[in-house]
Amino acid sequence: MDEREARRALVETCRMLYDRGLTVSAGGNMSVRTADGVLITPSGRNKGLLSPDDLVKVSMDGTVVSGGRPSIETGFHLALYRSNPGTNAVIHCHPLNCIAITVRGERLRCNLTPEGALLLGRVAEVPYVTPGTQELVDAVAEHADAKAMLMVRHGALTQGATLEEAFDRMEELEFQARLQMLCGDAEDLPDAELSRLGVLRWRC
């Protein structure tokens, strides 16, 4: 998509994330790849109130091309784009149940339902690292092959070929975290069923 359409789509996605309670106030950061760089949300702004002109454009080396001050987490967005040519959108939010799972010291289980297994696949866990640091960029980059990650005491991260795909993964991630909080002792789907679902994991 062209830059104008990318700006509109990213702002709409931010608003949906905010309306769904997947991010609150100024928390989180979202980006989309363009033909000549990346559009990312500005630092310290409410994600439900952004306009297309508020987005910051950066080059793949992190140089600000236009706009104001990009998110302090721009580094790990760029690391994922560099590692994955097929990734065109990255979403980082602070969903309540995702964070609660990590505060409890649990790992997310995504095989309780077929949707979790299909859409999320392997959910990586990024240990707690101070936000906005190179150490966090490096920690995320270690799991660049994972389409969904939980960041201990920090939030969640998803990537996708499109903004819609990254959004769907974030919504499913929080749904699975909520489900685990409600019935975490339940058994996963049987291995035989997971094997059957495995051949359909074209989105993971």
Side-chain angles (χ1 to χ4, degrees):
M1 69 180 80
D2 63 24
E3 183 175 324
R4 181 177 179 182
E5 175 62 17
R7 286 178 178 272
R8 184 203 63 77
L10 182 53
V11 166
E12 182 180 339
T13 299
C14 289
R15 191 165 294 124
M16 289 194 300
L17 291 163
Y18 183 82
D19 289 344
R20 294 288 291 167
L22 295 168
T23 194
V24 295
S25 65
N29 30 82
M30 304 84 194
S31 68
V32 62
R33 191 199 297 262
T34 65
D36 57 351
V38 171
L39 293 172
I40 193 163
T41 50
S43 180
R45 295 289 305 278
N46 187 306
K47 303 308 179 293
L49 301 175
L50 295 175
S51 72
D53 290 339
D54 292 326
L55 300 175
V56 182
K57 187 174 182 179
V58 299
S59 64
M60 289 301 292
D61 66 3
T63 302
V64 176
V65 176
S66 65
R69 186 161 55 103
S71 167
I72 63 170
E73 308 290 19
T74 299
F76 66 61
H77 287 251
L78 295 177
L80 293 175
Y81 289 124
R82 292 189 200 106
S83 296
N84 301 305
T87 289
N88 294 304
V90 175
I91 292 175
H92 166 52
C93 291
H94 302 159
L96 181 61
N97 291 288
C98 285
I99 296 176
I101 289 289
T102 70
V103 170
R104 288 163 58 127
E106 300 177 15
R107 294 188 68 89
L108 183 69
R109 299 168 57 199
C110 64
N111 290 332
L112 292 169
T113 69
E115 293 77 14
L118 285 168
L119 193 56
L120 298 176
R122 180 181 71 87
V123 178
E125 183 175 279
V126 179
Y128 179 80
V129 182
T130 304
T133 62
Q134 182 60 44
E135 288 79 6
L136 181 57
V137 174
D138 295 341
V140 168
E142 287 183 14
H143 300 284
D145 62 326
K147 301 303 183 185
M149 309 178 201
L150 283 193
M151 308 165 81
V152 173
R153 295 181 179 265
H154 186 170
L157 180 63
T158 59
Q159 53 182 320
T162 63
L163 276 166
E164 182 179 354
E165 189 172 69
F167 174 90
D168 288 350
R169 284 196 173 108
M170 182 60 69
E171 189 171 43
E172 186 65 32
L173 199 60
E174 175 65 353
F175 177 84
Q176 294 296 324
R178 176 61 176 158
L179 182 62
Q180 184 170 330
M181 294 286 285
L182 291 172
C183 54
D185 292 335
E187 293 184 0
D188 285 351
L189 290 167
D191 288 344
E193 176 62 11
L194 291 174
S195 294
R196 283 192 289 269
L197 290 169
V199 300
L200 303 176
R201 280 189 184 171
W202 56 275
R203 297 183 69 183
C204 295

